[in-house]
Amino acid sequence: MTDFPRLPTAFRLIDRDVVDSTNAIAKTLAEEGAEDGVLVWGRRQTAGRGRHGRDWASPEGNLYLSLICRPGASADKLGQLSFVTAVAVAEALEPFLPAAHKLELKWPNDVLIDGGKVTGILLESSMSADGSRPWVVIGVGINIAHHPESTDSTTPPTSLKALGEVDVRPERVLEAFAERFSFWRRAWLGQGFAPVRAAWLRRAYRLGVDVTARLAPAPVTGRFVDLDESGAMILDGADGRRRVTAGEVFFPTGAEGGDASGN
Ligand code: BTN
């Protein structure tokens, strides 16, 4: 028996046993004019999608949700929502983890535990026809009971269960995420990106060490020193300081990207 999740009143939950992709459903609803706060939850997805056209394996037991946001922020700021989301996921998962486990945020928007990817975030957005009501669909997949086979990524997929946390139900993680997301979205709308950026940097994976970003025509290596207002990674390299935006990173087909793994 499922015991139904309780969410803050700002959310309107649409729950389904099986969906193709919660992001696909939420995008259709957003295009039809659905309001801010509609949250689509699927217990299982048959066509879950990841970043860069990858699939997102979605058996029952994990959390799959997509949230429609019409935040009233200017379009150039909407990308900051992926950092708002990553911080909210981190704070939602932390209470379920014994202190021995290390939770980190990997640029631009993965959540790692003990170096394995436990959560992927996929933002999809558009302007309405007249450009006045931009929407963002925030898709979040959290590996609770399952994760796919390891890849050759430096951050192979993992799940809460694989880490020994066997008793967490998706409903409870959904509630925790909704509460933390509400908090951080309010902070972001009220105070701007600064508090979100600080909370993200406190948990940043590989901050202060050399990282390599796959850029065309050549990779760039530098010490990861900061995140700027736009969410770009700032690298200090041999040729000076360089911004790297998520859109610039190159993902060879069928290979693991420089900043991401599948789930
Ligand atoms: C990534 O590739 O890291 C992002 C994965 C995002 C997966 C989630 S699961 C819920 C939502 N629906 C989808 O089809 N994708 C996102």
Side-chain angles (χ1 to χ4, degrees):
M1 197 188 85
T2 310
D3 91 83
F4 207 69
R6 288 164 207 240
L7 306 187
T9 51
F11 294 94
R12 186 164 74 78
L13 181 64
I14 297 181
D15 89 290
R16 297 280 181 270
D17 285 335
V18 187
V19 295
D20 51 0
S21 153
T22 56
N23 260 42
I25 294 175
K27 276 181 75 175
T28 303
L29 292 172
E31 277 156 5
E32 291 168 357
E35 288 309 311
D36 181 271
V38 169
L39 190 153
V40 183
W41 171 40
R43 291 174 185 78
R44 179 161 75 82
Q45 299 186 117
T46 55
R49 33 200 218 217
R51 289 163 55 223
H52 314 293
R54 295 184 179 126
D55 295 335
W56 185 263
S58 305
E60 187 157 353
N62 292 343
L63 179 61
Y64 314 106
L65 70 90
S66 299
L67 176 62
I68 298 175
C69 279
R70 298 185 187 271
S74 59
D76 59 314
K77 300 254 188 306
L78 296 183
Q80 294 176 356
L81 275 170
S82 76
F83 298 91
V84 172
T85 306
V87 169
V89 170
E91 292 191 356
L93 293 182
E94 273 160 356
F96 296 110
L97 290 177
H101 294 293
K102 185 168 186 193
L103 190 150
E104 292 169 293
L105 301 179
K106 184 182 177 196
W107 184 88
N109 47 16
D110 290 341
V111 180
L112 310 180
I113 300 178
D114 297 348
K117 176 166 168 172
V118 78
T119 298
I121 297 167
L122 175 65
L123 257 62
E124 301 188 72
S125 65
S126 174
M127 300 296 232
S128 60
D130 65 1
S132 60
R133 294 191 73 224
W135 53 259
V136 180
V137 164
I138 301 173
V140 180
I142 302 182
N143 296 336
I144 298 173
H146 312 279
H147 65 81
E149 289 298 301
S150 262
T151 61
D152 60 1
S153 165
T154 51
T155 54
T158 191
S159 62
L160 296 183
K161 184 172 177 180
L163 296 161
E165 313 316 310
V166 288
D167 283 334
V168 186
R169 298 177 63 107
E171 291 87 336
R172 298 291 82 76
V173 181
L174 171 56
E175 287 170 342
F177 169 75
E179 195 278 315
R180 288 290 80 200
F181 183 86
S182 293
F183 174 89
W184 280 105
R185 181 179 133 130
R186 251 195 325 274
W188 175 64
L189 286 173
Q191 300 161 51
F193 191 46
V196 177
R197 176 174 163 272
W200 191 93
L201 283 170
R202 269 200 301 281
R203 300 178 178 87
Y205 173 69
R206 308 207 67 195
L207 185 68
V209 304
D210 275 358
V211 301
T212 298
R214 274 182 222 246
L215 304 183
V220 170
T221 298
R223 196 157 56 90
F224 178 17
V225 290
D226 207 350
L227 192 67
D228 78 5
E229 268 289 302
S230 70
M233 177 166 65
I234 307 297
L235 300 185
D236 255 351
D239 299 329
R241 193 157 266 216
R242 181 155 188 340
R243 291 176 71 235
V244 177
T245 62
E248 270 181 297
V249 177
F250 166 64
F251 291 87
T253 312
E256 289 305 314
D259 77 338
S261 62
N263 60 341

